[in-house]
Each structure stands twice: as structure tokens, then as C-alpha cells.
Amino acid sequence: MYALVDCNNFYASCERVFRPNLRNQPIVVLSNNDGCVIARSNEAKALGIPMGAPAFKFRSTFEKNNIHVFSSNYALYGDMSHRVMTLLGTYTPDVEIYSIDEAFLQFKGFDKHFDLQTYAESIKRTVDKGTGIPISIGIAPTKALSKVANRIAKKFPKQTKGVYIIDSEEKRIKALKWLAVEDVWGIGRKHSQKLHAKNILTAYQFTNLHDDVVRKQMSVVGLRLKHELEGKETLGLEVIQKKKAIATTRTFEGMLTDFDSIKERVSTFAVSCAEKLRKQGSCCTVVMVFLHTNYHRKDLAQYSKNIVIKTHYPTNSSIDLIKYAVEGLEYIYKENYHYKKAGIVVMGIAPETNKQMTLFTKENAKHLPLMKSIDKLNRELGSHKVKFGSQSLGRTWKMKQEQLSPRYTTKLKEIITIY
């Protein structure tokens, strides 16, 4: 059996843990730079605040309805997520962390020794007591059905008390007849429109389609999903894979025009990518640099360009990546434009221990110990204390976060005060 554990309104719940006076109050959390709504409490949903609502357009609505607005506080959310996942790991060794607020748990043979309803209720109490984060748990024979079960647990909290188990054919069919096809995990807007056109409106109707039809319309991925909804296990827990591409992209605080300012940003992005590569023990062979203006400023000339550069050898050296990033920027940069965003994407990622070297060029042997020393210093002294010459010493990434809550659990200076 599989369980899907989902933290209810996770970002809003994290804020409420340290401000219990916000319980039952409408809360929205904004994206980076306070751009748009990315999370809502149930109360905010009831007031009709849509996901992706631009903050500047809804500011008066927030004030009129006394909606509490927060900038996204990823230091807090990441730490709270880690605490939840650690507690879940005490209940089974088979855990797949699906996202910051969701995890699949596999209970191999547990149903022979435990009552899963009681077991799930124990998990729920432990997480609630240990973190203050409310969760919903759906249990079923497959991952896709556990998603359905979780949706029922969350939709009917009074009847289910946050735990629902699909453990019979009768429950499975009833659940699939209740679930709209567009709400099925893995069926996106495009496929749901095609299914609607064929008068397939529920998950149950989807499972009644012939396998050949599903495979033709939705490939083998759709067929696996159909079998999962039929109770046939086709998706096991996924093993964490190393990233195949790593990106560091940012929207600038303001618009930049001069080359040196953009060069400083791009160099910093390259350093960040190099740090991520070293952290997962990988090197890259391709670097992409992109740059574009603000598309929302129709009164200004628009320009967008990217360039892909192949490195001479696999590398995770910050010095090398800065060199390639600046080389790319010099090629795509044009004067007299107001730039709003830039980024670095590194690809062609391979294990650090399995480099394919070239005959005529090779990396500087001093880079490896130098990078290790820099990483160690930055870990001990604080992130980005040691910088490279092309970076600004006094500048740090600074997003617009006017409604940022304290980092209660990761910064001693911001720990909650009790009077």
C-alpha cells in the first residue's frame, strides 16, 4: 500500500505555526519579488483570490478583506518541510519526497501487522505535535489512487478526519466516479480538453477507455496512469536522480543597461551554478547564457537573446564558468536596451569522477583544491563570504520581500520571543 502525505496549505500553515493568532484568518503568500500569489489559505480561497493573482492588482482586495500577505520565506518553509519529512521517515524506510509539502510512503506488508487507519492517524498526530503543520493522508494500493484518496481526505475533513483509505473495489469505483477527469494526477489541461470533447468527464470514465485508445492519445505514460487508477501498480517509489541541468536565473531589482552591472550579475549566477555542481559531485560541458528586457514595458525597445557555449573540458570550477558566462554575455549583449532578467543554465552534466578529458586542453589542476577551500570557508563563515573578482563584494541577491516573516527556525537572531 502507498500513502500520500500532503501538508495542508503548507506555506500558510508555516506562518501560522509561529503566529497562532492567524488561525482561521485569510492568508496569501507571494512569489519571489512579491510578484503574484503562489499559496492561499482556505479562507483566502473562499474570498475568491485566484492562484497567480498579481499582487499589485489585488492590493486593494487584500486590504478590503483583511487578508494577511506574506513574502515567500523559503528558509522557513524548507526547514519546516525537512522536519515533517524526518518525522515521516520514522514510520517507514520507503519514503519518496515528492515536493516541499508532499511525500509518498510505501507500506510493504504493513497491512498484515498494523491497522493502517490507526497507523495513519498516529502519523498525523505525530506531525501535528512535532511541527504544528496539519497534514492529510490518502492510502491506496497504487500511487495514483493514493493521490485520489488524499484528495478525498482533504475535501471532506469532517468525515475523514484527514485520513482516507481506498482498500476495496467499491471504494475505488466510488472515488473515481466522484473525481473529475481534469483533477486526475498527471492529466493536464490539454489532455483533459481532449477527453471532455469525447464526453469523458470523470476518472471512472477514463479507466473504462480501451488501452489502445489511451496509449494512442496519451502515450505509454497515460496508459500507466490508467492502470494505476485501476489498482494495478505500475509506478514505484522514485530514486532521487542527480539533476540533468542546473539553472540560476534572476529578475533584476530594477532595469540594468550597462554591461558591467550585468556582467557582475551573470558572474554571480555562474558561481551559484558551479557551487551546485560541486555539491552534487558533477561537472558540466555546456553553458547557456540568456538575457532579456522587460516585456511588460511596451514603451521600451525589446530584446532577447541566448547563447550556448561548449566548454573545452568537463568542469565545475567557478573560475571556468565565470569565463564562459562572460564570454557568452559579451556576444549577446547590446547597448541601449533596458535589461530585466538574465540567467545561466549548465547542461551536459556528468559525474565528477568520470570526466572525459581532451587531448589538447585540460583544466587547471589548482582549481579543484581552490574550489574545495572556498566552499569550506563559505560553509564555515557564511554563504558568499568569499567571492571572485568579477563579483561585487558588497552586493548580495536581494529580492523584493516587503512582507517577509522572520526565519524563526534557522536564524538565532530571529527566533521567536515569548513574554
Side-chain angles (χ1 to χ4, degrees), residues 54-123:
F56 74 95
K57 283 187 178 179
F58 279 75
R59 188 164 292 117
S60 59
T61 305
F62 296 156
E63 293 173 357
K64 181 182 175 184
N65 294 285
N66 295 319
I67 297 175
H68 300 272
V69 182
F70 290 91
S71 304
S72 46
N73 186 343
Y74 293 115
L76 175 65
Y77 307 152
D79 184 65
M80 294 301 291
S81 172
H82 175 70
R83 291 168 189 241
V84 171
M85 300 306 168
T86 301
L87 289 172
L88 295 180
T90 63
Y91 281 87
T92 173
D94 301 312
V95 179
E96 175 191 335
I97 299 175
Y98 185 66
S99 67
I100 193 170
D101 61 349
E102 284 182 293
F104 286 104
L105 278 59
Q106 189 174 18
F107 300 128
K108 293 178 182 173
F110 279 43
D111 49 336
K112 296 178 182 176
H113 306 285
F114 298 97
D115 175 54
L116 288 179
Q117 178 75 31
T118 306
Y119 201 65
E121 289 171 357
S122 172
I123 295 173

Side-chain angles (χ1 to χ4, degrees), residues 259-305:
F259 179 82
D260 288 340
S261 297
I262 300 171
K263 176 185 172 186
E264 190 281 329
R265 293 288 77 197
V266 167
S267 298
T268 300
F269 301 161
V271 170
S272 173
C273 286
E275 289 173 346
K276 292 173 184 175
L277 283 170
R278 294 195 294 273
K279 190 174 182 180
Q280 71 166 26
S282 301
C283 291
C284 73
T285 56
V286 176
V287 178
M288 186 176 83
V289 186
F290 74 83
L291 182 68
H292 66 68
T293 52
N294 187 348
Y295 299 128
H296 298 290
R297 290 294 302 270
K298 305 298 182 188
D299 56 322
L300 298 174
Q302 299 297 318
Y303 173 72
S304 175
K305 191 78 173 178

Side-chain angles (χ1 to χ4, degrees), residues 126-324:
T126 300
V127 173
D128 188 32
K129 185 177 180 181
T131 66
I133 301 292
I135 61 173
S136 299
I137 304 176
I139 299 178
T142 68
K143 288 174 72 175
L145 283 175
S146 71
K147 271 276 195 181
V148 179
N150 186 282
R151 196 175 185 91
I152 294 171
K154 193 175 285 187
K155 185 72 176 179
F156 305 102
K158 290 183 179 177
Q159 296 89 334
T160 64
K161 300 189 184 307
V163 176
Y164 188 73
I165 303 176
I166 296 178
D167 54 0
S168 67
E169 187 65 4
E170 182 184 0
K171 282 186 175 181
R172 184 186 72 85
I173 291 174
K174 185 178 180 181
L176 295 185
K177 286 183 176 177
W178 166 79
L179 186 66
V181 71
E182 62 268 26
D183 292 333
V184 174
W185 178 47
I187 294 184
R189 183 186 301 176
K190 187 177 173 183
H191 285 309
S192 63
Q193 287 174 347
K194 288 182 179 178
L195 291 167
H196 275 210
K198 295 181 178 180
N199 205 29
I200 305 299
L201 305 178
T202 68
Y204 182 69
Q205 290 174 311
F206 172 67
T207 58
N208 285 333
L209 290 172
H210 195 279
D211 281 2
D212 292 341
V213 174
V214 176
R215 181 192 284 272
K216 184 177 180 181
Q217 296 292 328
M218 301 173 65
S219 77
V220 70
V221 176
L223 185 59
R224 285 180 186 148
L225 175 61
K226 175 178 180 287
H227 288 171
E228 282 266 316
L229 293 174
E230 290 170 343
K232 303 170 187 173
E233 183 183 349
T234 61
L235 304 172
L237 294 185
E238 292 186 2
V239 178
I240 296 175
Q241 302 285 338
K242 290 185 177 179
K243 295 178 180 177
K244 296 180 179 178
I246 291 175
T248 302
T249 69
R250 291 291 184 279
T251 301
F252 305 139
E253 292 174 60
M255 288 185 285
L256 301 179
T257 55
D258 65 296
F259 179 82
D260 288 340
S261 297
I262 300 171
K263 176 185 172 186
E264 190 281 329
R265 293 288 77 197
V266 167
S267 298
T268 300
F269 301 161
V271 170
S272 173
C273 286
E275 289 173 346
K276 292 173 184 175
L277 283 170
R278 294 195 294 273
K279 190 174 182 180
Q280 71 166 26
S282 301
C283 291
C284 73
T285 56
V286 176
V287 178
M288 186 176 83
V289 186
F290 74 83
L291 182 68
H292 66 68
T293 52
N294 187 348
Y295 299 128
H296 298 290
R297 290 294 302 270
K298 305 298 182 188
D299 56 322
L300 298 174
Q302 299 297 318
Y303 173 72
S304 175
K305 191 78 173 178
N306 70 69
I307 184 172
V308 175
I309 301 173
K310 192 169 187 328
T311 65
H312 295 301
Y313 44 80
T315 181
N316 57 17
S317 162
S318 297
I319 298 171
D320 286 339
L321 292 190
I322 288 174
K323 184 188 73 172
Y324 290 116

